[in-house]
Amino acid sequence: MNYYSTWLLLFLTACSGNEQQSDSKVQNTPSPWFEDVASDWGVDFTYDNGAEGEFHIREVTGGAPALFDYDNDGDLDLYVVQGNGALGNALFENVDGMFVDRSEGSGANDTGYGIGVSTGDYDNDGDTDLYVTNLGVNALLRNEGGGKFTNVTQVAGVEDEGFSACSAFGDLDNDGDLDLIVTKYLDVELISDRECFDNLSRQTYCNPTIYEAELQDTLFFNNGDGTFTDVTTEAGLSSVKGTGLGVFISDLTGDELPDIFIANDAMPDRLWVNQGDGTFIEDSIHRNIAIDDSGIAKAGMGATPVDIDQDGDMDVYVTNIFGESDSFYRNEGDFFQDMTRRSGLYAETRAYTRWGIVFADFDNDTLLDLYETTGGVVSGAISYSSEDPLAEPNLLFQQKENGRFNLIDPKGGTAELLIASTHGVASGDIDGDGAVDLVVVNSNAPLNILKNITKNRGGWITFQILNAYGSNALGAQVDVELQDGSHLFAEIKSACGYASAHDPRAHFGLGGKRVSQVTITWPVGTIRILKNPELHTTHVIEYVE
């Protein structure tokens, strides 16, 4: 019996005793938080995962969006990967609040079996480029400007053929250009012709570990001339293999060097600590972030850095599978502490398989809330859809006090429950009204664009931090000091959660408070201080030496 087939038993056992009393109270709200406006805003897109009843594991891994400003006009455009190569990936331009399909002739409609996407200006020309992870050959799409993209994968040396899941750009060697980390899920030559069944003798998707098809993830260093070098071995990442899914780049050790965190499915997660000389040491066990507080290696899906407790260092949040809770690791400096049980997120998350992650202050009250996408890999105790036995409702949690979350009902924060198998989700203020919106990609069901309609939102302020090339300064830190002396912290990032690319602008909800000053620290160490910035607006901060 594989571990997927035990989830139902685990869940029923958990629900038979004290676990029936959730450690997170359901927060009943008189009005919804989100409204699906995909059709109203011009988007008609369905991710086709190609499922034909043969239970290929790729079918429960793919589908993801990117929110990014590809034409540098100040608003967020949309890119979505597609599983059906005959349809190709989709590019939508934001034109006065409506999305217009610009896929045809753009060069961005890659026809691989798409899993995920990341964004970053790898060639420092001021335009944001795309990296698409595929089952097959990945694709680096260079933004040429004017709505045109060129596939430069082979020229740049980043093909990385296989079963790639997620990717992230970041300047790992401090040379001023973006490097690239790509997670590898399974060796495609070893995952065919296997059948797995649950405890009711129903065929289901296999536990990835039964294939014995683990792979090393791939690290590319940017050569600064439009090409990359595979430094996986030289950097030390070839020393261990895994079933890599979610990935992000962030300084987790406080030494001002960006590290790499990778969520592995049914294996210990990895923390690659940057040594500052082009090499990395895997230190997850020593820093207490490889497994949870009960000593279990969970089925890691998505992963994100987030300063949940707003103390200036990055905590880590990992989504896991049905029967396992999420993992919230609080950064204590030299180690991490598993705070999941104390956060109110333990019992509520165990009943679903979670993938994408968004931490954002949706109601602008200064506290980060949490949105998670869900989609099963095995039929659970509860069936939510007669058409898709793996479909589940997404989850929305409101942070009510520092580090404590309440589940919002109806689940997902929409008036009508949205039920689907969902993986990727991207966040950003799409309509520029000072509230964070969401794009949710579903398997074999229409995409959702969730406009934030929360009532009585507080004040807000947003910062777009640029580097010397006019691109988003990934890795920059923003410290907002409020007039009461409290602080709000954020890091400029785009790749986090699961397989998706988010708006890299830093959005802060203010409640009814005012801002006394803002301190911006670029990765190169340059610091800029803004006094009494205007509220309810987006500030574009250019780099000045």
Side-chain angles (χ1 to χ4, degrees):
M1 179 185 295
N2 68 67
Y3 88 139
Y4 288 130
S5 65
T6 67
W7 298 333
L8 181 58
L9 296 176
L10 286 171
F11 179 66
L12 293 175
T13 300
C15 290
S16 65
N18 293 333
E19 290 290 336
Q20 284 183 313
Q21 299 300 317
S22 166
D23 64 355
S24 121
K25 297 178 181 178
V26 173
Q27 178 69 25
N28 292 308
T29 58
S31 57
W33 290 49
F34 300 105
E35 177 185 9
D36 185 8
V37 296
S39 296
D40 295 339
W41 287 4
V43 176
D44 180 12
F45 178 92
T46 295
Y47 179 83
D48 180 358
N49 71 1
E52 296 179 346
E54 297 181 0
F55 294 89
H56 295 299
I57 198 167
R58 66 173 182 265
E59 298 162 3
V60 287
T61 59
L67 280 171
F68 74 126
D69 185 4
Y70 81 79
D71 49 6
N72 289 331
D73 65 352
D75 55 29
L76 291 175
D77 308 302
L78 174 63
Y79 186 78
V80 195
V81 303
Q82 177 59 270
N84 187 330
L87 300 174
N89 299 346
L91 177 69
F92 298 91
E93 180 187 1
N94 188 336
V95 181
D96 298 327
M98 289 289 294
F99 284 109
V100 180
D101 193 335
R102 304 296 194 197
S103 308
E104 187 174 354
S106 68
N109 54 336
D110 182 64
T111 57
Y113 188 97
I115 305 296
V117 58
S118 59
T119 56
D121 180 12
Y122 83 94
D123 54 356
N124 287 334
D125 66 350
D127 297 315
T128 302
D129 310 300
L130 298 165
Y131 188 80
V132 178
T133 50
N134 288 320
L135 177 65
V137 180
N138 298 337
L140 176 62
L141 305 177
R142 183 181 187 272
N143 189 339
E144 307 287 356
K148 301 297 183 181
F149 291 77
T150 301
N151 189 322
V152 296
T153 314
Q154 187 172 4
V155 172
V158 289
E159 297 95 335
D160 208 30
E161 184 174 1
F163 193 164
S164 300
C166 302
S167 60
F169 285 103
D171 187 2
L172 291 163
D173 54 1
N174 255 348
D175 64 352
D177 48 35
L178 296 179
D179 309 303
L180 177 66
I181 177 70
V182 182
T183 62
K184 304 300 286 291
Y185 188 42
L186 294 168
D187 187 333
V188 293
E189 296 181 358
L190 300 176
I191 62 174
S192 59
D193 301 324
R194 298 295 295 270
E195 292 185 351
C196 297
F197 300 87
D198 65 16
N199 61 309
L200 299 178
S201 299
R202 298 172 299 187
Q203 188 173 356
T204 186
Y205 295 95
C206 295
N207 174 352
T209 61
I210 75 164
Y211 296 113
E212 297 182 355
E214 296 84 4
L215 290 171
Q216 62 190 29
D217 302 305
T218 309
L219 177 61
F220 296 100
F221 273 1
N222 194 326
N223 299 322
D225 59 0
T227 68
F228 292 79
T229 297
D230 184 340
V231 297
T232 306
T233 300
E234 297 88 332
L237 270 68
S238 63
S239 60
V240 295
K241 295 181 178 180
T243 49
L245 290 174
V247 62
F248 66 78
I249 294 172
S250 182
D251 177 15
L252 298 180
T253 60
D255 60 1
E256 299 182 356
L257 295 172
D259 309 302
I260 302 170
F261 183 87
I262 296 171
N264 281 308
D265 189 358
M267 298 182 65
D269 297 331
R270 311 292 185 193
L271 172 56
W272 293 100
V273 177
N274 195 334
Q275 302 301 293
D277 59 1
T279 66
F280 296 79
I281 293 177
E282 208 293 295
D283 203 25
S284 58
I285 292 291
H286 177 258
R287 292 181 182 271
N288 198 39
I289 200 170
I291 56 180
D292 70 4
D293 60 0
S294 60
I296 295 175
K298 294 179 177 177
M301 308 298 197
T304 192
V306 55
D307 189 357
I308 295 179
D309 51 4
Q310 295 289 274
D311 64 351
D313 55 23
M314 285 294 159
D315 311 303
V316 174
Y317 198 88
V318 181
T319 50
N320 299 299
I321 211 160
F322 175 79
E324 301 173 349
S325 74
D326 285 346
S327 297
F328 162 30
Y329 298 106
R330 189 174 68 189
N331 194 331
E332 303 288 357
D334 293 333
F335 68 97
F336 290 83
Q337 184 175 4
D338 188 342
M339 299 293 292
T340 316
R341 295 177 190 270
R342 302 179 216 182
S343 67
L345 295 163
Y346 182 81
E348 299 292 359
T349 57
R350 294 181 67 202
Y352 308 89
T353 292
R354 293 85 55 207
W355 296 86
I357 309 166
V358 173
F359 276 98
D361 187 356
F362 294 117
D363 54 1
N364 288 344
D365 66 350
T366 75
L367 296 173
L368 296 174
D369 308 303
L370 170 62
Y371 186 91
E372 298 184 321
T373 61
T374 66
V377 295
V378 65
S379 298
I382 300 174
S383 177
Y384 295 94
S385 169
S386 59
E387 297 180 358
D388 182 356
L390 304 182
E392 299 175 340
N394 294 334
L395 304 177
L396 173 64
F397 295 89
Q398 182 181 26
Q399 188 176 178
K400 299 298 293 182
E401 57 184 353
N402 193 15
R404 292 287 304 182
F405 292 81
N406 287 350
L407 179 67
I408 293 295
D409 190 46
K411 293 179 178 63
T414 52
E416 181 180 349
L417 205 61
L418 300 178
I419 304 295
S421 293
T422 308
H423 297 125
V425 56
S427 60
D429 183 1
I430 298 173
D431 54 358
D433 65 350
V436 176
D437 310 302
L438 301 169
V439 177
V440 175
V441 177
N442 307 305
S443 288
N444 304 324
L447 169 153
N448 305 121
I449 298 180
L450 302 183
K451 173 179 168 56
N452 188 329
I453 57 171
T454 52
K455 303 296 184 182
N456 303 315
R457 292 194 300 262
W460 62 278
I461 191 168
T462 298
F463 296 92
Q464 182 178 18
I465 312 301
L466 304 180
N467 61 20
Y469 306 98
S471 305
N472 292 295
L474 301 182
Q477 306 286 332
V478 183
D479 174 1
V480 174
E481 183 177 350
L482 304 178
Q483 287 188 333
D484 63 2
S486 61
H487 289 255
L488 303 173
F489 298 93
E491 180 180 56
I492 303 301
K493 58 184 182 293
S494 60
C496 55
Y498 181 77
S500 305
H502 305 255
D503 177 9
R505 296 176 296 185
H507 171 90
F508 298 91
L510 302 175
K513 301 178 182 180
R514 300 191 64 82
V515 176
S516 59
Q517 75 172 33
V518 178
T519 303
I520 300 159
T521 306
W522 278 264
V524 294
T526 302
I527 295 176
R528 183 174 173 184
I529 297 176
L530 308 177
K531 298 284 190 179
N532 301 310
E534 181 182 355
L535 306 185
H536 309 142
T537 190
T538 296
H539 297 262
V540 179
I541 310 299
E542 298 179 351
Y543 176 81
V544 178
E545 293 189 24

